[in-house]
């Protein structure tokens, strides 16, 4: 005889007005409520996790490919766009790739001065994922021939510099010789991540190419969106081994970084 089943049947079959019946019903309801609260809590945590991942990946993608450099500067040596793009297109792990470049600058308004990083992006190979984070105005309007003067700033930078959609902004680039560019705020984004919102301004990639005297075939780096994600501590071994490790220009190696620790393509 199964003792546990015998006891459970005796308790369940007790009179509705007995103490045992009341305790059994209270315990059953308590366990059901506890499990329901756990399910709701895990669902909320999963939703927050997905939202944070999407915001991180919308700005930096799953992987970033850039020329290997021991210098920790955000401004890296350029890499050849056509060669690397053709090589990346051969791998099924890569869903899409977009070129970008970064350049440090100082924004000066009538009352404020702020150091930022201008991230030049391009939509030649598809729309930018940052469009989903726009909270005011619109994304960059790309011209067919000339570089666009539109920029997208974060809500935090807009509040610090008292800028709004349509406001002009002077950018000073510390280089030889120093350069000044006048841009127009076309939109304001907000990711909720201070690492991005306090530093980055989005602009046309061709602006940085012109400032650095790069031809159209050179870019700062590539952002790669992977087809699928899985939990891991390092980038996928199969993708790392098959990824091109050298660029055609000067044959210097490239480096690969994951945009979010703990996930790989």
């Amino acid at each position: 005889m199964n003792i546990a089943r015998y006891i459970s049947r005796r308790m369940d079959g007790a009179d509705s007005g007995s103490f045992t019946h009341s305790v059994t019903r209270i315990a059953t309801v308590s366990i059901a409520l506890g499990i329901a609260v756990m399910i709701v809590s895990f669902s909320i945590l999963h939703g927050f996790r997905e939202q944070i991942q999407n915001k991180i990946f919308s700005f930096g993608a799953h992987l970033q490919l850039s020329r290997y450099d021991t210098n920790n500067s955000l401004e890296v040596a350029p890499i050849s766009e056509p060669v690397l793009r053709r090589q990346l297109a051969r791998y099924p792990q890569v869903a899409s790739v977009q070129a970008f470049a970064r350049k440090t600058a100082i924004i000066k308004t009538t009352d404020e001065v702020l150091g930022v990083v201008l991230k030049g992006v391009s939509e030649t190979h598809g729309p930018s994922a940052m469009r989903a984070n726009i909270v005011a105005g619109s994304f960059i309007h790309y011209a067919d021939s000339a570089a666009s003067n539109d920029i997208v700033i974060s809500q935090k930078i807009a509040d610090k510099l008292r800028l709004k959609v349509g406001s002009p902004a002077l950018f000073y680039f510390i280089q030889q010789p120093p350069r000044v560019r006048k841009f127009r705020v076309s939109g304001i984004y907000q990711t909720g991540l201070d690492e991005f919102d306090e530093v980055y301004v989005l602009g046309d990639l061709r602006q940085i190419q012109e400032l650095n005297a790069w031809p159209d075939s050179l870019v700062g780096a590539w952002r790669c969106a992977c087809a699928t994600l899985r939990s891991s501590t390092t980038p996928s071994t199969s993708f790392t081994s098959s990824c091109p490790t050298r660029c055609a220009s000067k044959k210097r190696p490239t480096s690969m970084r994951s945009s979010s620790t703990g996930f790989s393509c």
Side-chain angles (χ1 to χ4, degrees):
M1 182 179 65
N2 191 321
I3 298 178
R5 180 177 298 180
Y6 172 76
I7 295 175
S8 64
R9 285 182 177 178
R10 289 294 302 271
M11 294 179 65
D12 188 61
D15 296 335
S16 59
S18 65
F19 176 77
T20 303
H21 183 272
S22 301
V23 171
T24 302
R25 291 293 178 263
I26 293 174
T28 303
V29 172
S30 300
I31 294 174
L33 288 176
I35 294 175
V37 170
M38 289 179 59
I39 293 174
V40 172
S41 300
F42 279 115
S43 300
I44 294 174
L45 289 174
H46 180 72
F48 278 129
R49 177 173 173 268
E50 291 289 333
Q51 187 176 15
I52 293 174
Q53 278 189 29
N54 292 336
K55 287 183 178 295
I56 293 175
F57 293 152
S58 68
F59 199 94
H62 303 137
L63 294 171
Q64 294 183 8
L65 296 174
S66 61
R67 187 183 296 280
Y68 177 78
D69 196 346
T70 56
N71 187 4
N72 290 326
S73 174
L74 292 172
E75 300 183 34
V76 297
I79 56 180
S80 176
E81 175 179 6
V83 174
L84 189 57
R85 176 169 175 77
R86 285 196 299 268
Q87 291 176 327
L88 288 172
R90 301 203 309 261
Y91 304 104
Q93 298 96 328
V94 180
S96 64
V97 292
Q98 288 181 328
F100 71 93
R102 291 175 292 211
K103 194 170 184 65
T104 55
I106 297 175
I107 305 179
K108 184 179 184 303
T109 62
T110 305
D111 302 320
E112 302 289 341
V113 175
L114 181 67
V116 297
V117 176
L118 177 63
K119 183 177 182 179
V121 296
S122 172
E123 292 193 325
T124 305
H125 305 295
S128 173
M130 279 296 292
R131 287 180 175 271
N133 297 322
I134 299 295
V135 295
S138 59
F139 201 69
I140 302 166
H141 298 282
Y142 293 96
D144 294 333
S145 55
S148 174
N149 289 324
D150 290 348
I151 57 172
V152 178
I153 63 176
S154 69
Q155 186 66 61
K156 286 196 172 184
I157 293 178
D159 294 340
K160 288 180 180 179
L161 299 179
R162 302 174 186 175
L163 295 174
K164 58 183 180 179
V165 175
S167 299
L170 285 177
F171 277 60
Y172 292 83
F173 298 94
I174 310 302
Q175 59 184 72
Q176 294 297 332
R179 302 288 183 87
V180 181
R181 289 287 188 275
K182 185 177 182 180
F183 296 120
R184 184 188 74 90
V185 178
S186 65
I188 298 175
Y189 75 87
Q190 185 174 16
T191 65
L193 304 174
D194 292 343
E195 181 182 356
F196 302 142
D197 292 354
E198 293 184 351
V199 178
Y200 284 95
V201 173
L202 304 180
D204 192 342
L205 173 62
R206 288 174 293 184
Q207 289 285 358
I208 297 182
Q209 289 174 329
E210 291 179 2
L211 288 167
N212 293 338
W214 293 349
D216 295 339
S217 60
L218 294 182
V219 298
W222 282 97
R223 61 188 304 275
C224 303
C226 299
T228 58
L229 288 177
R230 67 170 179 269
S231 179
S232 178
T233 56
T234 58
S236 172
T237 304
S238 60
F239 181 76
T240 306
S241 61
S242 61
C243 182
T245 57
R246 290 188 177 272
C247 295
S249 58
K250 298 184 180 180
K251 298 296 182 183
R252 294 178 61 185
T254 58
S255 64
M256 179 175 65
R257 295 181 300 161
S258 173
S259 296
S260 177
T261 303
F263 297 92
S264 64
C265 64

